[in-house]
Amino acid sequence: MPASRRGSGSVTLPTGQTLAIHTRIQGEEDLPHATKKTMADHLRKYESLFTLTPQRMRMIVEAFTETLEIGLNKPNQIVPMIPTYVFGWPTGQETGDFLALDLGGTNLRVCLVTLQGEGKFEITQTKYRLTEEQKQDDGQKLFDFCAECLKTFVDTNFGERDSALKPGQNLPLGFTFSYPCSQERIDHGELIRWTKGFGAANTEGRDVAEMFKKSLEKYQLPIQLTALINDTTGTLIASHYVNPRTKIAVIFGTGCNAAYMENVKNIEKINHLGIDPAAEMAINCEWGAFDSFEHEHLPRTKYDAIVDDTSNKPGEQAFEKLISGRYLGEILRLVICELIDEGVLFLGQNTYKLEKPYCLDTAFLSLMESDPTDELLMIIGIFTHFFALETTLAERQFFRALAKLIGRRAARLSSCGIAAIVSKMGYLEEGCMVGADGSLYNKYPGFADRVHEGLQDIFGEKGRNIITHHAEDGSGVGSAIIASYDKDQERRWIVHSCLNYRQDEGHCDSAKNRQIAM
Ligand code: GLC
C-alpha cells in the first residue's frame, strides 16, 4: 500500500473565488508520472531559455535607449513616445472636485476625486465589469456604456448635492483611456491601435475624445471632458503629487507601459510647434511596443512566438507580451502543454481542461510561487480544482520553478525598460523613485525585488539609487490633477502660445497636425 498523507487549507483567488484544498496525497505509483530526474533535466533546458544574463540585459538597455530617442525625434515610430500635452509637475496645491473615468483592461471605473491641496485627496468610486463582447463590439457602443455608467454615478452621488452642481454648470472630467493615442492637445487622442486584447470596431484611427463627447451628449450629462490621459501619465502625476522624488511611472498590469517627464527641447518631432523649449511635458512611451515586428532585441522563446501568433495582434506589443499579466499564465501553459505532447506530463490523465488557451491565469503563477507548504498544497489545489489533474511533488516543484523563471524574466525585462529611461535622462547618479502600479507589481510575490535586482545587474551598485514604490492611483487621482491643470493659468499660456503659433504658421490643417503632433 502506498503511503498517504493529508493536507488542507483554503485560499482566496484574485478573482474573488475561494479555493478550499483538502488533499489526500497518494503514493506516486498509481499513475505513470515523470521521475524527479526527468523533471530536473527539463528544468535545466527552460532555465537556459528564460534566464537573462546581466550582459544581455545591458544590450537590451542600449537598444531600448536608442529606440526611445528615435521615437522622440521622428513621428509615427513603433515606440511612439507620445507627447501628452501634460505640462510639468503638479505643485501639490491643486484643489477642487473632479470626475475621473478609467477605461483600462478589465474594468471600467468612475471616481469622484476631491483634491484638498498639500498632496491630499479624497476619492469615491464605483467599478463596472466589462464583458468580452463589449471589448470587441462597436467602439461607439463602448463609449455609450461608459457614459451610461457615468450617468448612474452622477445621479447617485450628485442627486442630493445641489450645491455641487448648479444649473448650467459642468463637472470637469479626466478620462483615463489606457491605449496608445496620438494627441494634438490634452483633450484629444486618435487611437493608434488597440492593445491588451481589445478590438472594438470603428475606433482605431479615430479621435476617441470626440467619440466619447458624442456619448456624453447622448446621455445629456453635465460633464466637460477636460483631459484624455494614459494610465501611466496619470500615475506619474499622482505619484509625484504625493512623492516629488518620483520621476518615472510604470504600469505592470494587463498591459505594461511607462511615462516620464521630458524637456520640450528634446522632443524634436514637435520642435516646430514653438512650445517654450524650457517647458516640460509628460511622455507616454507606449514601450510595450518595443521590438515589435522585427524581433531583433528581445530573447523570445518559441512559446512567446506562439502567444504572439495566436493573439489578435500578431507582431505587435512584443515587449508587453513577455511581461504583462495578460500573457504570463499563457506562456507557462504552453510549456506544460509541450511536455504533455511529449508524453512527459500527466500520462494517462485527461488534460483537455488545460488545453484551452488562456485558461491558466497569471494569478495562478503568483499563487504557485507563494505556496508556503512543503507539499505545495496550493499547487495541488490549482491542478485538481481547475484542471482535474493529479500531480506529484516533483511535478509541482517543477511547475513552481517554471513560474519563477517566467515571472523573473518579466521583472528583469522591466528593469531594462526602466534603465533605458534612467540612462536617457541621466537619473542614475542623483537617483529617483519609480511609481509602479498594476496587478503584477502589487500582487506577484517578489516582483519588485526582482526589478531592483535587475537594476543592480545593469548598473552595478548605483542601481540601488533607482527605487520603485507603489504608486498613487493614477487613473483616479492623477486624472483629476491633470483635469485641474486646465484651471492653471501658466500652463494654459503654454498651450495657447503653442496653438497661436500653429495658426500663425499655417499648421492648422488637421491632417498635418495629426502627423506632426505624434
Ligand atoms: C498597454 C496600453 C498602454 C497602457 C498599458 C498599461 O500597453 O497600450 O496605453 O498604458 O497597457 O495599462
Side-chain angles (χ1 to χ4, degrees):
M1 269 295 275
S4 98
R5 283 151 286 160
R6 284 173 195 279
S8 57
S10 81
V11 62
T12 304
L13 292 173
T15 52
Q17 268 173 298
T18 301
L19 172 60
I21 305 161
H22 187 74
T23 321
R24 181 166 175 267
I25 305 165
Q26 290 285 353
E28 296 172 358
E29 303 91 81
D30 324 51
L31 288 162
H33 281 288
T35 65
K36 205 167 173 180
K37 166 142 188 340
T38 325
M39 292 327 310
D41 287 345
H42 282 289
L43 189 59
R44 260 195 298 283
K45 181 176 90 193
Y46 295 113
E47 261 164 9
S48 70
L49 282 176
F50 286 100
T51 302
L52 274 173
T53 63
Q55 193 193 4
R56 183 74 201 263
M57 291 170 79
R58 283 185 218 114
M59 284 164 66
I60 296 173
V61 175
E62 203 177 306
F64 216 125
T65 315
E66 218 171 278
T67 305
L68 301 182
E69 297 279 6
I70 294 174
L72 284 180
N73 294 342
K74 299 188 194 153
N76 307 325
Q77 295 304 294
I78 290 191
V79 173
M81 301 295 280
I82 300 170
T84 60
Y85 298 87
V86 171
F87 288 100
W89 298 111
T91 59
Q93 298 317 314
E94 291 78 4
T95 52
D97 279 343
F98 300 90
L99 280 172
L101 179 73
D102 173 17
L103 183 67
T106 322
N107 297 310
L108 175 72
R109 195 165 57 114
V110 187
C111 317
L112 171 64
V113 184
T114 306
L115 299 176
Q116 298 163 326
E118 296 173 10
K120 296 192 191 120
F121 57 86
E122 260 178 18
I123 184 159
T124 314
Q125 60 176 347
T126 310
K127 271 189 185 174
Y128 306 85
R129 188 98 190 162
L130 285 172
T131 64
E132 272 313 306
E133 292 76 62
Q134 279 171 320
K135 295 181 192 174
Q136 311 302 334
D137 205 347
D138 184 72
Q140 193 65 56
K141 277 199 198 162
L142 180 65
F143 293 121
D144 280 356
F145 175 69
C146 294
E148 198 184 325
C149 294
L150 253 174
K151 182 164 172 39
T152 313
F153 184 86
V154 169
D155 288 349
T156 315
N157 289 281
F158 288 88
E160 282 144 34
R161 287 180 58 177
D162 49 348
S163 59
L165 263 193
K166 306 198 176 70
Q169 187 194 349
N170 279 337
L171 279 165
L173 169 83
F175 182 14
T176 307
F177 181 76
S178 303
Y179 304 88
C181 288
S182 67
Q183 297 192 272
E184 290 174 2
R185 341 171 274 280
I186 197 163
D187 60 349
H188 160 269
E190 198 172 284
L191 179 63
I192 301 174
R193 55 178 172 262
W194 283 116
T195 54
K196 300 183 277 196
F198 268 63
N202 307 319
T203 323
E204 286 182 341
R206 294 181 62 188
D207 178 1
V208 291
E210 219 29 70
M211 290 177 78
F212 180 58
K213 280 184 199 162
K214 209 167 143 194
S215 300
L216 288 178
E217 277 163 26
K218 182 169 169 188
Y219 285 86
Q220 297 182 326
L221 283 161
I223 288 171
Q224 188 195 355
L225 175 68
T226 46
L228 182 82
I229 66 161
N230 187 262
D231 51 359
T232 53
T233 315
T235 302
L236 181 71
I237 298 301
S239 297
H240 194 277
Y241 182 72
V242 292
N243 183 343
R245 283 200 64 209
T246 307
K247 299 273 174 62
I248 300 170
V250 188
I251 300 288
F252 302 104
T254 312
C256 179
N257 185 18
Y260 72 103
M261 196 60 80
E262 183 58 272
N263 303 306
V264 164
K265 68 172 186 308
N266 295 336
I267 317 173
E268 220 172 88
K269 64 183 171 184
I270 58 164
N271 272 357
H272 57 278
L273 293 184
I275 305 172
D276 179 358
E280 291 183 303
M281 193 198 287
I283 296 289
N284 163 20
C285 302
E286 287 295 335
W287 78 11
F290 174 62
D291 207 31
S292 290
F293 307 110
E294 304 285 325
H295 307 306
E296 285 173 323
H297 304 294
L298 296 171
R300 291 205 323 158
T301 64
K302 64 174 161 184
Y303 318 101
D304 301 308
I306 299 173
V307 165
D308 185 29
D309 289 346
T310 55
S311 71
N312 70 335
K313 300 273 186 171
E316 297 184 11
Q317 299 297 97
F319 187 57
E320 178 162 278
K321 282 175 178 156
L322 305 187
I323 297 179
S324 85
R326 180 170 167 80
Y327 306 102
L328 298 190
E330 180 63 2
I331 298 172
L332 175 61
R333 192 192 70 84
L334 288 168
V335 175
I336 297 176
C337 283
E338 178 179 71
L339 292 173
I340 294 174
D341 290 346
E342 287 175 5
V344 178
L345 288 172
F346 306 126
L347 266 184
Q349 299 192 63
N350 193 337
T351 53
Y352 77 101
K353 286 197 173 176
L354 200 53
E355 277 153 31
K356 190 169 163 247
Y358 288 89
C359 66
L360 198 87
D361 199 288
T362 298
F364 289 146
L365 274 69
S366 305
L367 290 169
M368 286 184 191
E369 281 217 50
S370 55
D371 192 335
T373 64
D374 290 343
E375 300 286 4
L376 300 179
L377 291 177
M378 185 87 76
I379 305 184
I380 297 182
I382 291 170
F383 279 89
T384 52
H385 184 88
F386 290 94
F387 306 112
L389 289 169
E390 284 189 27
T391 51
T392 63
L393 182 58
E395 287 164 348
R396 295 194 291 279
Q397 284 165 340
F398 171 75
F399 296 142
R400 196 216 307 247
L402 264 183
K404 194 167 169 184
L405 286 174
I406 294 167
R408 187 155 180 263
R409 182 186 68 159
R412 288 170 77 75
L413 284 170
S414 309
S415 318
C416 296
I418 296 172
I421 298 182
V422 167
S423 304
K424 197 205 147 310
M425 297 305 288
Y427 289 149
L428 187 60
E429 296 296 329
E430 64 182 283
C432 75
M433 306 282 275
V434 179
D437 206 352
S439 49
L440 266 191
Y441 187 83
N442 297 334
K443 294 189 183 147
Y444 201 106
F447 192 85
D449 293 343
R450 289 170 181 167
V451 171
H452 291 144
E453 181 195 85
L455 285 165
Q456 284 164 46
D457 280 354
I458 295 165
F459 290 129
E461 265 304 292
K462 284 189 183 154
R464 287 181 191 275
N465 296 348
I466 313 301
I467 303 162
T468 69
H469 67 98
H470 174 64
E472 282 310 322
D473 168 15
S475 312
V477 180
S479 165
I481 299 169
I482 294 170
S484 84
Y485 277 17
D486 196 48
K487 298 194 302 188
D488 182 324
Q489 288 311 309
E490 193 186 333
R491 288 189 174 100
R492 244 169 209 256
W493 183 83
I494 297 175
V495 178
H496 284 174
S497 68
C498 145
L499 291 174
N500 289 339
Y501 174 88
R502 286 159 79 178
Q503 273 156 17
D504 294 348
E505 297 297 304
H507 282 298
C508 276
D509 150 40
S510 67
K512 212 167 181 185
N513 279 349
R514 251 199 305 282
Q515 252 203 344
I516 54 183
M518 245 274 295

